[in-house]
Amino acid sequence: METATPGKVAVALNPVPGFCVKSRATNDTLVHLTQPLDVHVKKGLKIFVNIAWDSNVPPPPPGNDDAIHRAMRGLGIDDSNPGAWFVPIVLSDARQDSDKAGQPAIVFDCVLNPSIKSRSLRNPDFKSFIIELALQRVEAQTTLILSRQIGTPNIASKGNLQSRRVLVPVALYYPGHPDCQVSPTLVQEIPDHSTGVPEKAPPKGMPDITSETGVPAWSWTQQDSTIRIVFDVPGITHAVIPESTLDVEPRRVLLHIPTLYDLDLDLDASDSELLSVFGGNETAYQALKLKRYARSRCRPRSG
């Protein structure tokens, strides 16, 4: 049984079926199953993603229509924007199943808070947004790359949804929520500088948290055999450019812009550390997705 740990809350999930999405794997890879083993997924294998609801999943933070529309367009999702709106998702491990023809398939359960159910039912664009988030979450947690040519079978779920107890990062709960048991500053382990004792300088690339810098919005794309990362850094001036640094290491990117932005994208960090650094929003899931992609590219080829 999962028990609470620092920075996480143990919750019981008994998901209620919503709808099902059918996609296909576009790559050959290994996927971890609910049991302690991996299964080889061949390109073209059907992947079913159940969208389900449970009130114990953290709800999105309060947000007006403008904030929600910005999130749907991929705008405003970074830690420096306190009004950023995002959708927490709890994803199950993969499990094996079969399609109507009896062919092998893989199933995931994406569980969301039911507060967004009505909007997803009445707004087709919002439903498409939720589906894309679910596919991205599967890709972030695995090395799968899913086709966006999807179908929506006329079923509430593929197979029976799994009841389980999970650990949810506190960072996914917005401030003021009953399960937000620690403040964002404690989640980020901000040191107490009130004693007047001089602190050691932070390691290279680690943000100086007392400078009140923010994490910039960023995105990544694959271009042939390279990865392109774009940072959105509004407010930067010519005066700070000479003092700004960008270090690119094999599995780490460090960006520092004095008084404005600090980012440490460490692909060797654990999933919980990435969620803590990026606040558990869609930027965090992009970091997880990049981590999985980089790991799959580095795997030795057999034969």
Side-chain angles (χ1 to χ4, degrees):
M1 179 180 295
E2 300 285 2
T3 56
T5 61
K8 293 186 178 182
V9 177
V11 298
L13 296 184
N14 296 286
V16 175
F19 58 92
C20 181
V21 178
K22 178 179 67 177
S23 179
R24 289 183 183 271
T26 65
N27 62 324
D28 292 341
T29 188
L30 291 175
V31 170
H32 180 72
L33 298 180
T34 303
Q35 297 83 10
L37 53 86
D38 291 340
V39 63
H40 181 252
V41 172
K42 293 184 177 180
K43 180 179 179 180
L45 185 74
K46 285 184 181 178
I47 308 294
F48 291 91
V49 180
N50 292 323
I51 306 298
W53 315 107
D54 193 299
S55 58
N56 284 333
V57 173
N64 55 28
D65 286 344
D66 181 63
I68 295 173
H69 290 153
R70 284 176 60 84
M72 292 171 63
R73 298 195 304 271
L75 302 175
I77 308 297
D78 72 83
D79 291 341
S80 65
N81 181 2
W85 192 86
F86 61 94
V87 181
I89 295 176
V90 174
L91 180 69
S92 71
D93 286 333
R95 62 181 181 273
Q96 292 179 303
D97 208 312
S98 58
D99 62 13
K100 290 190 298 183
Q103 296 301 308
I106 294 292
V107 180
F108 293 91
D109 298 335
C110 279
V111 190
L112 304 87
N113 189 279
S115 61
I116 61 173
K117 178 180 178 180
S118 60
R119 184 183 287 266
S120 67
L121 292 177
R122 70 175 186 267
N123 186 329
D125 290 338
F126 187 78
K127 182 177 181 179
S128 296
F129 168 66
I130 294 301
I131 291 173
E132 175 60 24
L133 290 184
L135 297 180
Q136 289 182 11
R137 192 70 187 93
V138 171
E139 291 175 331
Q141 189 162 311
T142 68
T143 54
L144 281 168
I145 301 175
L146 301 179
S147 171
R148 273 13 183 213
Q149 294 182 345
I150 62 173
T152 51
N154 189 27
I155 53 176
S157 68
K158 181 63 175 176
N160 295 322
L161 299 175
Q162 305 294 303
S163 298
R164 62 194 190 281
R165 193 168 178 84
V166 299
L167 294 177
V168 177
V170 176
L172 289 177
Y173 294 94
Y174 62 85
H177 188 276
D179 284 324
C180 187
Q181 298 174 351
V182 295
S183 68
T185 53
L186 290 178
V187 171
Q188 297 170 13
E189 298 183 356
I190 294 182
D192 182 3
H193 294 285
S194 61
T195 61
V197 178
E199 297 284 342
K200 294 182 180 180
K204 180 182 178 183
M206 293 298 291
D208 179 359
I209 4 195
T210 61
S211 63
E212 298 184 357
T213 57
V215 178
W218 63 278
S219 61
W220 71 276
T221 55
Q222 176 190 355
Q223 295 184 340
D224 297 325
S225 60
T226 63
I227 295 175
R228 180 172 182 258
I229 300 178
V230 177
F231 300 102
D232 184 13
V233 288
I236 190 172
T237 63
H238 289 290
V240 300
I241 289 178
E243 304 299 323
S244 302
T245 58
L246 175 63
D247 295 335
V248 180
E249 302 175 3
R251 292 182 57 82
R252 194 172 188 177
V253 177
L254 305 162
L255 174 68
H256 172 66
I257 301 175
T259 73
L260 291 175
Y261 301 105
D262 274 296
L263 177 139
D264 183 356
L265 176 57
D266 185 358
L267 299 184
D268 287 324
S270 67
D271 290 359
S272 60
E273 288 172 330
L274 288 175
L275 285 170
S276 177
V277 168
F278 293 105
N281 56 34
E282 283 309 304
T283 302
Y285 297 149
Q286 285 298 312
L288 293 176
K289 182 178 177 181
L290 178 56
K291 173 183 173 181
R292 265 61 172 190
Y293 174 79
R295 179 187 298 166
S296 67
R297 298 288 295 180
C298 293
R299 282 182 175 172
R301 295 184 179 180
S302 60

